[in-house]
Amino acid sequence: MSVGPGMYALLLVLFLSHGGACQRELSSRQDLHPLLQKMAEEIIEGSYLNALLDLTLFESSHVWTADLSHRVLAYLNSRNVAFTIPSLQAVMETHLEQYLYQPQKLLEDLRATDAQQFHTAMKCLLEDKWGHLDLEDIVINLGNIRDEALQSPGVNRSLFLITLERCFQVLNALECVEVLGRVLRGSSGSFLQPDITDRLPQDLHEDAFKNLSAVFKDLYDQTSAHTQRALYSWMTGILRTPFNVTDGSVSWVSAEKLWILGRYMVHLSFEEIMNISPIEIGLFISYDNATKQLDMVYDVTPELAQAFLERIRCSNFDMRNISTIHRLGLLVCFYDSLELLDATLAQVLLHQMLKCSRLRGFQAGIQKLKANLLDIATENQTLNETLGSLSDAVVGLSSTQLESLTSEAVHSAVSTLNQVTGWGRSQIIILSAKYLAQEKVLSFYDISQMGVLLAGVGTQAFYRMDHKDLWQVLRSPLSQDMSDLSPVQQQGVLSKLMEAEDGASGIVEVPRALFKEVSLYDLWKESRFNATVLKEKELRRSQALFLYELLEKTTERPEELLSAGQLVKGIQCSHIDAMSAHVFLALFQYFENNFSLLSPDQVNCLAWKYWEVSRSTMPPYLLATLPSRFLASVPPSRCVRFLISLGKKHLDTLVLDSDKRSLVIRKVEQCLDGVIADEYTVDIVGHLLCHLPAAFIERGISPRAWATALHGLRSCTVLRSDQKAAVRVRLLEQWGPPQNWTAETTKDLAPFLAFFSGDELHTVATKFPEILQQTASKMVGMLLPKEFLWAVFESVQNSSNESPSFHPTFGCHEVVTPSSDDIFKLAEANACWDPEVLLCMEEDTFIRNVELLGAVKGFSRPQLMALKEKAIQVWDLPSCWKEYHIVSLGRIALSLSESELEQLDLSSIDTVASLGLQTEWTPGQAKSILQAFLEDSGYGIQDLKSFHLVGLGSTLCAMDPTEIPLIKTSEFRAVVARIGTLLCSTSVLAGFKKKAEVVFGRPTEWTSSILQELGTIAAGVSKAELRMLDKELMPYFHPSAIRCLPGEVFKELSTEQIASLGPQNAAFVTNSQRLQLSSAQLQSLQRALDGAKTHSWPTEPLSSSPTWPASTGSPTGEPASQALWLGCPLLLLMAEAWCQWPV
């Protein structure tokens, strides 16, 4: 809860009246309890935290009575305290707020507490019984204070450090370990740096050591590899001494110590594992919780896993016993006793290997093991007979093997197949077709059995379903599977529902996953909407705009709308403007809670409103959305709160314009005084780390702060090339060249490896190929530097254990062809294969890996052409290809010529939709796809259903504008929003705009929700139509529509219209559009980019400077200073005391 200056005055009034009327003269001079006397002295000295701790301790063992206030008063009176109430309020606020904005002060003050006070502070953190401080009719919730403190990075850091420094001297070790656990679990893991082990006690007794080890095990994934190694060394330093050898073994590792190590057991050396006594490893495997522990060793290496398996084999456990296999956890992923395995055991192993996808790396080896086990499991049996017992190894079956399955086999195995993850799209299509081969119409029962295979059902099959069966699906838990369907499939379902007589009336029952596909037109026909119904729905912005406007007229409590899930997307500036100051401030937390749903324009409106009604309590991050002069006006005294507030947001979504972002960052640098000096400052800066200039990263982050800053930089999704270069320089300064790196260093630097040069990466590829390959496997689908890809390629080539394969085809005799293992490991680095090598690939290798190859972003045109030729070699001419062949091609399909595209069987709209996932088609190719679909399906333009329009996607842009009127209005209006995502030519967009007029009327009749629904279609307006649009509608153009407007049309906007675009749409104005604008229009555009007022508040001159009130109250919308609440009981005492001073 946040407390503003007005609230402090109210608290003081309440405190003044506490216990009856204030007395002007103190009549009693009774002795004061020593603890309260000490507290009063601390109040006089300004040591408010110490005073609170003494008060808390006193209250824990005494009943607070009204006369105690009089006794405190007597003491203060005798000490001639000369405060006034306003001055005390100011001093208290200033001093206690420092704990939030300067958490180092909390650390200093806790260091200055005496042993009894520190003990009380730790107890408050530790024990729930200290949840409330009850002073007569005033109750202070210490539990909430504790919880909020543990969520504040800076405060949390101070509590962590002081606990390490003092707790073990004051409390017993078990209590201190519990405090550390609470503090660390509320942190990001960045507190745990390698040097932390120097501060950890070395003489913990057994229970405390086990508990602290458990805390470190829980935080394992949040800590760096160096820290993991340091904590392992600390743990083993204690575990090694003393130890008792009972069986002649020289190993210190016992079953119990393995259990204590938990996930840290993977840091044991190979030699230490091999020296473990067979008795001890046998005892460990016998533990009931051993399997759970082994299920979590995600970073175990093949070498260490084999060592553990060898020791288990040397104990009394039979590695071919089913019970033993069940106990192996993730070690089963490296099972190597394949000799003499029978089919039953192979099937058991395959089932246990379901968990192997959790391992970090080594997946290629696991796939190979599964393939070997698959061969054993199907030995002397057909694939049809064993299909249901092969677990997720079935994912490794090729399309040829899946095609050979019978429909009956798929039906029998569906309970296994429908739960398997990792299927390729083409595999799901084959299996779905097999399952439904004997079904004429899809039924509720069929859907209930299919699970993940449902995504392979054709859209036409959904459309042919009985609408009652469809409703039964949507009203059952099966509706969750609808989110896995493609847009064309979802539209097929909706289309069927809307055609039914009761379709429109059932819109409110459409589940969350499908609701966002409901058209604006269909929403108009439904009258049963309310905030409760919409709470769980996923909404497009156009839907939210309409529904908010609709419900706002009938709802007296706006909080009902703002708490209704995604409905907040629909609130307009006019709604915000109309709120009274009291209502706005009361409702602001709803906006905060749904901040990620708000557009930059909505945030800008909130900022202006807040500035107008309560600038003193305004969340500082909102200043970034206001004109830059507001940033410039932030005084140094407000810098820390500004940085904390802004650092919790993502600046690139808050401020879209790059120039404005640069101004914000300049202010950030100014507030930082050009340096991040320590870890506390990193906590304050938060996400702003990702936007600091390269020069600041290179020279402005101190060595002391660098480790914590690096932890923050790991989470940056996008860094500029100069920022990456600066990070690289710092890392080389810190760790030296890669020749000096250890495995831990390389793991910790994995997110940054793509920043390094080819020569540096060559060293990494040579020393740590597995780490490099694991890093690359996490970057699938990203466009990576060529140097990085070549390093990965080199590492795979050099570490390949397979003998070179040469294809016997003419021209391929001397070519070493890629294996499935190579292709799997390389991921995006497959872009490094020469085209001739790809063409010489073995047929089975191509069939098994075509989808993976089709997903590679970096393939060049010659490489794609080679893969297309390979497809023709394997599958024959394009005219022979089936749907699953076409779907599996991915980007490879881009190399098909126009004539080859026309040869494809494109009678299925799902096949066309899969081609539409690619965005690099030429106009000629798109035209060929459109024509092939119309010819193969037998449809004319006038026959197209709404789901056909969705499936055709970007190929609709290849339509002749004269054909657009032929589309049925009833089908078009159902998918306007989908068509509005297409980036078509101006003439085609103009054709769609004319079609939209049939549904929504002339542009002068369009509302904000209609304009948003139209998307890019709105870019088809003429010059005259654009000029006639109300300036209030400008923010509701979809940003992509702004970008699609031709420059000669865009320049027709008036200065008022341009100024009203809002910061989001202004950021989407292109350079070619800018070149067409006059100086006055450019000035208006700059106002929009800057976040100037565009709504109904009075226009403020650009030169006016914002002013700040003198108050320093905690900003609403950010965590209130816990220290202010800590001071409340002290304010109570002081208020009572001053009531009795003579006037």
Side-chain angles (χ1 to χ4, degrees):
M1 180 177 176
S2 195
V3 185
M7 181 60 74
Y8 292 113
L10 177 60
L11 285 170
L12 286 171
V13 171
L14 290 171
F15 297 157
L16 284 167
S17 63
H18 181 70
C22 294
Q23 302 175 16
R24 301 227 175 249
E25 295 288 343
L26 181 65
S27 60
S28 172
R29 291 187 172 273
Q30 297 174 345
D31 290 336
L32 190 63
H33 188 283
L35 194 58
L36 293 181
Q37 181 176 326
K38 180 167 172 274
M39 178 195 73
E41 286 290 340
E42 287 159 343
I43 291 174
I44 295 169
E45 294 168 3
S47 301
Y48 302 115
L49 177 61
N50 302 57
L52 170 73
L53 292 171
D54 285 335
L55 175 62
T56 303
L57 181 61
F58 179 85
E59 199 271 344
S60 69
S61 56
H62 298 78
V63 176
W64 187 268
T65 59
D67 70 303
L68 288 175
S69 300
H70 301 311
R71 296 184 189 185
V72 172
L73 167 67
Y75 187 88
L76 291 170
N77 192 20
S78 70
R79 299 282 282 109
N80 296 317
V81 176
F83 279 119
T84 65
I85 291 177
S87 67
L88 174 70
Q89 180 180 347
V91 169
M92 285 286 289
E93 288 182 18
T94 301
H95 182 87
L96 296 176
E97 267 190 313
Q98 289 178 343
Y99 290 153
L100 180 62
Y101 301 119
Q102 295 179 8
Q104 300 98 314
K105 186 72 171 61
L106 175 62
L107 180 60
E108 293 170 9
D109 287 355
L110 284 171
R111 282 171 175 161
T113 56
D114 59 36
Q116 193 175 44
Q117 290 168 339
F118 184 79
H119 186 275
T120 302
M122 291 293 101
K123 286 285 188 179
C124 283
L125 275 175
L126 188 62
E127 297 181 10
D128 292 335
K129 73 177 183 180
W130 296 70
H132 292 85
L133 187 61
D134 194 349
L135 307 175
E136 294 269 298
D137 55 345
I138 301 296
V139 177
I140 307 301
N141 192 327
L142 294 178
N144 284 351
I145 294 169
R146 177 180 61 230
D147 293 342
E148 290 188 30
L150 293 174
Q151 294 171 19
S152 169
V155 173
N156 218 4
R157 187 180 295 278
S158 288
L159 293 174
F160 172 64
L161 293 174
I162 198 65
T163 303
L164 284 179
E165 284 182 24
R166 296 191 62 187
C167 186
F168 289 94
Q169 286 80 48
V170 178
L171 273 70
N172 71 57
L174 275 173
E175 291 175 322
C176 292
V177 166
E178 189 174 347
V179 172
L180 279 176
R182 288 199 178 197
V183 173
L184 283 172
R185 289 187 177 99
S187 76
S188 63
S190 63
F191 295 175
L192 290 176
Q193 296 296 331
D195 62 356
I196 202 67
T197 54
D198 298 336
R199 309 185 194 183
L200 294 175
Q202 302 295 323
D203 56 352
L204 288 176
H205 63 74
E206 185 176 0
D207 288 343
F209 171 71
K210 287 180 179 178
N211 290 355
L212 188 53
S213 297
V215 171
F216 294 147
K217 286 186 282 187
D218 290 345
L219 296 170
Y220 187 91
D221 289 325
Q222 298 178 43
T223 53
S224 67
H226 277 103
T227 301
Q228 289 170 4
R229 172 58 66 175
L231 290 173
Y232 167 79
S233 298
W234 174 79
M235 292 167 71
T236 54
I238 294 175
L239 288 173
R240 285 173 186 271
T241 52
F243 70 92
N244 298 314
V245 178
T246 59
D247 62 348
S249 169
V250 295
S251 175
W252 61 271
V253 183
S254 66
E256 184 183 17
K257 289 173 182 177
L258 277 175
W259 177 81
I260 292 172
L261 283 172
R263 294 185 60 184
Y264 287 88
M265 66 188 286
V266 301
H267 293 274
L268 289 164
S269 69
F270 180 83
E271 292 74 18
E272 286 174 315
I273 296 171
M274 294 304 292
N275 283 331
I276 298 174
S277 156
I279 294 175
E280 293 296 337
I281 198 72
L283 280 172
F284 174 70
I285 291 296
S286 299
Y287 286 165
D288 290 337
N289 60 3
T291 302
K292 182 179 178 181
Q293 181 168 318
L294 291 173
D295 276 342
M296 298 179 68
V297 289
Y298 307 128
D299 51 346
V300 69
T301 64
E303 181 188 38
L304 296 184
Q306 296 285 355
F308 278 117
L309 288 171
E310 177 59 31
R311 297 316 292 155
I312 295 169
R313 191 178 293 114
C314 291
S315 68
N316 293 325
F317 283 89
D318 180 1
M319 297 300 284
R320 288 175 294 176
N321 181 283
I322 293 176
S323 175
T324 303
I325 291 172
H326 283 163
R327 290 178 172 273
L328 294 179
L330 289 174
L331 299 182
V332 78
C333 309
F334 305 94
Y335 192 92
D336 59 349
S337 302
L338 300 189
E339 63 279 357
L340 303 180
L341 273 185
D342 59 22
T344 301
L345 275 178
Q347 291 167 12
V348 170
L349 280 166
L350 285 172
H351 182 71
Q352 288 298 303
M353 290 183 74
L354 277 168
K355 63 188 75 167
C356 295
S357 58
R358 304 177 203 159
L359 278 172
R360 293 179 189 148
F362 316 111
Q363 293 297 322
I366 292 167
Q367 296 299 329
K368 191 180 296 185
L369 175 57
K370 284 184 178 180
N372 292 334
L373 290 170
L374 190 62
D375 290 340
I376 298 171
T378 56
E379 198 171 13
N380 300 323
Q381 297 181 83
T382 66
L383 194 55
N384 283 313
E385 293 170 327
T386 57
L387 186 62
S389 58
L390 301 180
S391 192
D392 70 344
V394 290
V395 171
L397 296 174
S398 69
S399 56
T400 306
Q401 290 173 301
L402 293 175
E403 276 278 47
S404 70
L405 295 171
T406 64
S407 175
E408 292 75 17
V410 174
H411 266 271
S412 299
V414 73
S415 59
T416 298
L417 302 177
N418 65 11
Q419 298 179 59
V420 171
T421 58
W423 288 117
R425 174 75 175 153
S426 60
Q427 292 175 307
I428 288 179
I429 289 173
I430 295 171
L431 290 170
S432 295
K434 294 281 183 184
Y435 182 78
L436 298 173
Q438 298 172 8
E439 305 292 333
K440 291 184 178 180
V441 178
L442 197 60
S443 67
F444 171 78
Y445 175 78
D446 294 328
I447 290 180
S448 70
Q449 297 299 302
M450 295 189 73
V452 297
L453 301 184
L454 191 63
V457 176
T459 300
Q460 203 70 43
F462 284 116
Y463 184 68
R464 285 198 298 264
M465 278 185 74
D466 184 279
H467 75 275
K468 292 179 181 177
D469 271 1
L470 264 182
W471 274 121
Q472 189 178 358
V473 170
L474 297 182
R475 289 164 179 158
S476 74
L478 296 172
S479 64
Q480 297 174 7
D481 294 333
M482 291 291 163
S483 60
D484 297 327
L485 301 185
S486 67
V488 64
Q489 290 170 313
Q490 291 181 343
Q491 187 56 43
V493 172
L494 273 180
S495 180
K496 184 67 175 185
L497 296 177
M498 293 300 104
E499 284 182 8
E501 290 182 9
D502 59 346
S505 61
I507 287 178
V508 292
E509 296 185 64
V510 172
R512 172 187 175 89
L514 282 183
F515 195 85
K516 68 180 187 301
E517 299 295 330
V518 176
S519 71
L520 188 60
Y521 180 85
D522 285 323
L523 291 184
W524 289 353
K525 298 185 293 182
E526 174 58 72
S527 59
R528 294 183 296 156
F529 287 119
N530 58 59
T532 304
V533 165
L534 295 172
K535 208 157 199 169
E536 301 302 319
K537 307 293 188 188
E538 188 174 344
L539 302 178
R540 298 192 310 277
R541 196 165 296 278
S542 59
Q543 293 173 318
L545 285 165
F546 165 70
L547 291 168
Y548 194 98
E549 192 79 31
L550 176 72
L551 297 178
E552 194 249 354
K553 297 171 184 175
T554 58
T555 305
E556 295 183 1
R557 300 176 62 225
E559 60 269 28
E560 289 184 10
L561 303 184
L562 295 179
S563 61
Q566 298 193 6
L567 193 59
V568 71
K569 289 180 179 180
I571 191 166
Q572 301 181 35
C573 286
S574 57
H575 300 134
I576 296 171
D577 187 18
M579 292 178 183
S580 68
H582 170 74
V583 169
F584 174 78
L585 294 174
L587 296 179
F588 187 76
Q589 193 59 47
Y590 290 104
F591 295 113
E592 277 284 356
N593 295 343
N594 294 287
F595 188 82
S596 62
L597 299 175
L598 301 177
S599 71
D601 294 335
Q602 289 173 310
V603 177
N604 178 248
C605 295
L606 291 172
W608 276 116
K609 181 68 174 181
Y610 221 127
W611 181 262
E612 179 191 64
V613 302
S614 184
R615 65 188 64 179
S616 64
T617 63
M618 179 177 181
Y621 73 84
L622 290 176
L623 292 171
T625 73
L626 295 178
S628 51
R629 67 187 187 280
F630 285 79
L631 278 177
S633 72
V634 176
S637 62
R638 287 180 172 259
C639 265
V640 174
R641 69 184 64 201
F642 170 69
L643 293 175
I644 290 174
S645 180
L646 191 59
K648 292 177 181 176
K649 305 300 179 185
H650 292 280
L651 187 60
D652 47 357
T653 57
L654 189 67
V655 180
L656 300 184
D657 180 50
S658 58
D659 291 335
K660 176 101 179 269
R661 267 202 311 273
S662 296
L663 289 174
V664 175
I665 293 302
R666 209 169 300 157
K667 182 64 182 181
V668 169
E669 291 183 84
Q670 180 186 335
C671 280
L672 290 170
D673 200 18
V675 66
I676 293 179
D678 55 29
E679 310 93 318
Y680 284 100
T681 314
V682 177
D683 293 337
I684 287 170
V685 169
H687 296 307
L688 291 170
L689 270 176
C690 304
H691 301 279
L692 292 176
F696 195 107
I697 293 173
E698 194 169 337
R699 297 187 294 274
I701 304 177
S702 72
R704 175 181 170 183
W706 177 246
T708 305
L710 192 63
H711 192 278
L713 288 168
R714 291 167 69 100
S715 62
C716 298
T717 53
V718 179
L719 290 174
R720 299 186 309 273
S721 57
D722 61 332
Q723 290 175 305
K724 293 176 181 178
V727 171
R728 171 184 165 274
V729 168
R730 290 298 301 266
L731 293 176
L732 290 173
E733 288 175 357
Q734 181 183 10
W735 299 108
Q739 293 91 322
N740 302 343
W741 294 359
T742 63
E744 285 77 22
T745 303
T746 311
K747 287 177 183 177
D748 286 342
L749 302 190
F752 310 108
L753 288 180
F755 300 178
F756 289 86
S757 69
D759 290 340
E760 291 159 344
L761 288 168
H762 171 77
T763 304
V764 176
T766 303
K767 288 185 68 177
F768 305 110
E770 276 292 347
I771 297 175
L772 184 63
Q773 291 165 31
Q774 287 176 36
T775 303
S777 69
K778 298 174 185 175
M779 299 178 175
V780 174
M782 298 170 58
L783 284 174
L784 298 165
K786 271 290 183 184
E787 295 84 357
F788 180 79
L789 295 178
W790 275 108
V792 175
F793 188 78
E794 174 191 3
S795 74
V796 172
Q797 293 290 85
N798 292 342
S799 61
S800 178
N801 296 322
E802 298 186 8
S803 54
S805 176
F806 301 94
H807 200 279
T809 307
F810 176 75
C812 294
H813 294 294
E814 302 298 322
V815 178
V816 179
T817 59
S819 66
S820 291
D821 197 33
D822 291 338
I823 292 170
F824 185 85
K825 288 181 179 179
L826 285 170
E828 279 299 316
N830 278 295
C832 296
W833 293 112
D834 289 333
E836 55 268 25
V837 174
L838 295 172
L839 188 57
C840 290
M841 194 188 313
E842 291 184 1
E843 289 190 4
D844 185 64
T845 303
F846 176 81
I847 291 171
R848 291 182 180 277
N849 296 283
V850 60
E851 285 200 44
L852 198 158
L853 293 169
V856 175
K857 299 284 187 185
F859 275 141
S860 64
R861 179 78 177 169
Q863 290 170 312
L864 293 174
M865 290 292 291
L867 288 167
K868 179 195 72 173
E869 291 304 320
K870 189 72 209 178
I872 292 173
Q873 285 181 13
V874 176
W875 297 332
D876 210 339
L877 294 174
S879 58
C880 302
W881 296 355
K882 297 182 179 180
E883 179 185 0
Y884 70 85
H885 291 136
I886 301 169
V887 167
S888 67
L889 286 173
R891 289 190 69 244
I892 300 171
L894 293 169
S895 61
L896 292 167
S897 67
E898 294 172 24
S899 61
E900 287 169 331
L901 287 167
E902 290 168 4
Q903 293 177 44
L904 296 175
D905 177 4
L906 297 183
S907 57
S908 165
I909 191 60
D910 301 284
T911 310
V912 177
S914 71
L915 293 175
L917 295 175
Q918 309 308 320
T919 59
E920 303 161 69
W921 298 110
T922 66
Q925 287 175 309
K927 186 76 172 176
S928 294
I929 294 171
L930 177 60
Q931 289 303 123
F933 169 71
L934 293 174
E935 291 175 10
D936 294 344
S937 66
Y939 291 120
I941 298 293
Q942 68 279 3
D943 303 317
L944 296 177
K945 295 287 187 183
S946 59
F947 56 84
H948 292 139
L949 296 172
V950 171
L952 285 168
S954 59
T955 58
L956 287 174
C957 295
M959 289 183 72
D960 189 311
T962 60
E963 296 176 315
I964 294 176
L966 299 176
I967 299 173
K968 284 183 180 177
T969 301
S970 59
E971 305 299 330
F972 174 81
R973 69 193 180 200
V975 291
V976 166
R978 279 283 171 188
I979 296 174
T981 64
L982 305 179
L983 303 176
C984 300
S985 66
T986 304
S987 60
V988 172
L989 290 177
F992 283 130
K993 190 273 298 183
K994 290 179 182 176
K995 189 71 183 177
E997 289 181 0
V998 179
V999 182
F1000 299 116
R1002 303 281 297 170
T1004 51
E1005 302 171 58
W1006 293 350
T1007 62
S1008 57
S1009 57
I1010 291 173
L1011 196 55
Q1012 187 72 201
E1013 179 90 345
L1014 290 173
T1016 56
I1017 295 173
V1021 295
S1022 66
K1023 295 178 181 180
E1025 290 168 333
L1026 189 61
R1027 285 194 299 266
M1028 293 171 63
L1029 286 177
D1030 191 313
K1031 68 176 183 177
E1032 298 298 328
L1033 286 177
M1034 291 298 108
Y1036 302 104
F1037 268 101
H1038 195 281
S1040 57
I1042 295 294
R1043 183 162 283 176
C1044 286
L1045 281 167
E1048 62 272 14
V1049 176
F1050 185 79
K1051 71 177 182 179
E1052 295 300 313
L1053 288 170
S1054 68
T1055 54
E1056 291 80 8
Q1057 286 174 312
I1058 292 175
S1060 299
L1061 281 171
Q1064 183 174 23
N1065 280 341
F1068 276 77
V1069 174
T1070 65
N1071 288 330
S1072 61
Q1073 289 170 331
R1074 285 172 181 261
L1075 292 174
Q1076 301 271 357
L1077 300 181
S1078 67
S1079 58
Q1081 287 173 311
L1082 287 171
Q1083 189 176 9
S1084 290
L1085 180 61
Q1086 187 55 48
R1087 284 180 59 86
L1089 287 168
D1090 210 21
K1093 290 181 181 178
T1094 60
H1095 26 286
S1096 57
W1097 291 302
T1099 303
E1100 193 175 287
L1102 278 172
S1103 59
S1104 65
S1105 297
T1107 56
W1108 294 89
S1111 171
T1112 59
S1114 178
T1116 300
E1118 62 183 36
S1121 172
Q1122 293 82 21
L1124 291 174
W1125 280 104
L1126 295 176
C1128 288
L1130 303 180
L1131 283 170
L1132 165 60
L1133 289 173
M1134 294 305 295
E1136 288 183 334
W1138 281 311
C1139 285
Q1140 302 172 56
W1141 282 103
V1143 177

